[in-house]
Amino acid sequence: MEAPKNENFRDTIGTITKEGKRAWVFPKKPSGRFYNYRKYVSYFLLLFLVSAPFIKVNGNQFLMFNIMERRFNIFGFPFWPQDFHLFVISMIIGVVFITLFTVVFGRIFCGWICPQTIFMEMVFRRIEFWIEGDRGKQKRLKNQPWTKEKIRKRGLKLIVFLIISFIIANVFLAYLIGSDRLIQYIVDGPTAHLNTLISLTIFTGIFYFVFAWFREQVCVIACPYGRLQGVLLDTKSIVVAYDHKRGEGESGRKKFRKNEDRAALGHGDCIDCMQCVHVCPTGIDIRNGTQLECVNCTACIDECDHIMDSINLPRGLIRYASEENIENKTKFKLTARVKGYIAVLVILIGVLIGMLFLRNDVEARVLRLPGQLYERKDNNMISNVFTYKLVNKTTEEIKDVSLKLMSHDGTIKLVSTHDMFIVPAQGMTEGTIFIEIDNSKLSGDRNTIKIGVYANDKLIETTSANFLGPRSYN
């Protein structure tokens, strides 16, 4: 299929020059109703992102992803390695939810919720506007020699960016190792935890590199979610779109002139002012249609609405709309694909809720010691040796814990001086036990036994194990 014979046809990435070099983007400072809405959403999400590791629910950190120790907290619910299936289902639900949102609303997640966009546009970019000025001043500053003014502004920006990157790295570390441990490390001083300090320095450098230099390239090159746009979007998806029918008319775009009858001349409402291009943080021209760089930030909508207001034309030349809405004026309807995603999402959420209700606060596992056979005891008793492991997922220690046989008449003997023990809060207790059962109560060489875990004589968990006995010959 040949490309349209149009010298303005876009067949390259907007942030790359014809020579293949980086085309630095200097976006105009945005303003308007959508930008104000985005600021409110961004400030809320920033507050949530910074505070979430320090919020406690029933003693558990609200959000924690301790990969090294395989401990995760999601909305205050602790997840251990034994709960990995719950964690996987939670991640699948997140992926399906984002996929559903993308099918319906395009990359609205990128423009309104993604941490990369929020930090870049609502923190670092605003600081850059404050220090270096708007689009024109930034371009002039880049091209001028290294004067005192340039050194002062670039130096101040470097310092501020590094400080914010360091703060973000600390918050990121709080998600990984826990806020309590991070605070303790700060109290102990940097020299007491050099490995953590080195990791913190590396993360600070990464965040500084991303927000000071790599910037929109994260969305264009590195982010895999942007690539999904091509397979998830269709003509019914609502995206930031340019109404080419209204904007182009029969005779195309034309610069604005006072007292000119544009409709009679066949020109559309687009006056080719290029403001939608200048304000775009990824440097694209939205009039070329949906592009992989577009993150649906709505900056072009605000800018175009402002231009339309100034020339007394109706707003909405660039707006949230689907291709079918622009072409055929049809309203959005739920398609079979969207209904399918909704059904899958509802089923997964139902499964997760059910599993959470069935999930116990104590996880017990009893396994027969490998390589060990049964042993005959006095009074026709058969003995097996087992190892046990109890995991306490709560924030309170469990006292006076004991193990009892529930399926057979027999005894459980702990390899310790006490018959009861304690399972620490958010901790684990393991040890060795001997289980003795009368041979007459066994059926064959393999028997499944049920073991109850009691705390203060109250059953809190049950588990099962395989018990070996003498093979019977009939």
Side-chain angles (χ1 to χ4, degrees), residues 226-260:
R227 293 294 185 269
L228 289 174
Q229 185 176 222
V231 296
L232 294 177
L233 297 185
D234 57 24
T235 57
K236 298 177 178 62
S237 300
I238 299 173
V239 296
V240 173
Y242 165 67
D243 190 339
H244 60 90
K245 287 200 166 185
R246 174 188 159 190
E248 303 297 316
E250 295 180 0
S251 304
R253 312 164 192 164
K254 188 178 186 296
K255 294 291 185 180
F256 177 75
R257 291 182 181 178
K258 288 185 178 180
N259 303 321
E260 182 179 61

Side-chain angles (χ1 to χ4, degrees), residues 61-193:
Q61 188 169 309
F62 190 69
L63 287 175
M64 184 176 72
F65 306 93
N66 192 334
I67 299 173
M68 300 300 294
E69 297 178 6
R70 295 181 296 173
R71 291 177 56 190
F72 305 90
N73 289 349
I74 299 178
F75 304 136
F77 289 99
F79 290 85
W80 289 71
Q82 294 83 356
D83 299 317
F84 187 71
H85 59 290
L86 296 176
F87 182 76
V88 170
I89 291 179
S90 300
M91 294 300 101
I92 293 175
I93 289 174
V95 171
V96 173
F97 180 77
I98 293 175
T99 301
L100 173 62
F101 235 64
T102 305
V103 170
V104 179
F105 296 110
R107 289 181 71 177
I108 192 172
F109 171 84
C110 297
W112 291 73
I113 303 174
C114 177
Q116 157 69 19
T117 304
I118 291 175
F119 276 115
M120 185 67 249
E121 301 302 325
M122 296 299 172
V123 179
F124 289 89
R125 190 87 75 184
R126 288 172 65 85
I127 291 172
E128 196 167 56
F129 287 138
W130 169 61
I131 296 175
E132 297 185 351
D134 206 345
R135 168 184 165 84
K137 292 182 179 180
Q138 290 182 22
K139 293 179 73 173
R140 288 192 293 271
L141 185 69
K142 182 176 185 288
N143 295 326
Q144 75 180 46
W146 284 93
T147 60
K148 289 183 179 180
E149 179 192 13
K150 185 171 183 177
I151 294 173
R152 176 177 59 82
K153 289 184 176 181
R154 288 295 173 87
L156 177 60
K157 187 173 78 169
L158 169 66
I159 293 171
V160 175
F161 277 18
L162 280 174
I163 292 173
I164 296 176
S165 298
F166 182 72
I167 293 172
I168 297 173
N170 275 274
V171 173
F172 181 73
L173 194 63
Y175 279 100
L176 293 181
I177 67 172
S179 57
D180 292 339
R181 187 179 298 180
L182 175 65
I183 293 173
Q184 186 60 49
Y185 285 0
I186 295 173
V187 172
D188 294 342
T191 56
H193 306 280

Side-chain angles (χ1 to χ4, degrees), residues 340-353:
Y341 282 127
I342 293 174
V344 171
L345 186 62
V346 170
I347 292 171
L348 287 174
I349 292 175
V351 170
L352 178 63
I353 292 174

Side-chain angles (χ1 to χ4, degrees), residues 184 409-410 426:
Q184 186 60 49
D409 291 332
Q426 292 188 337

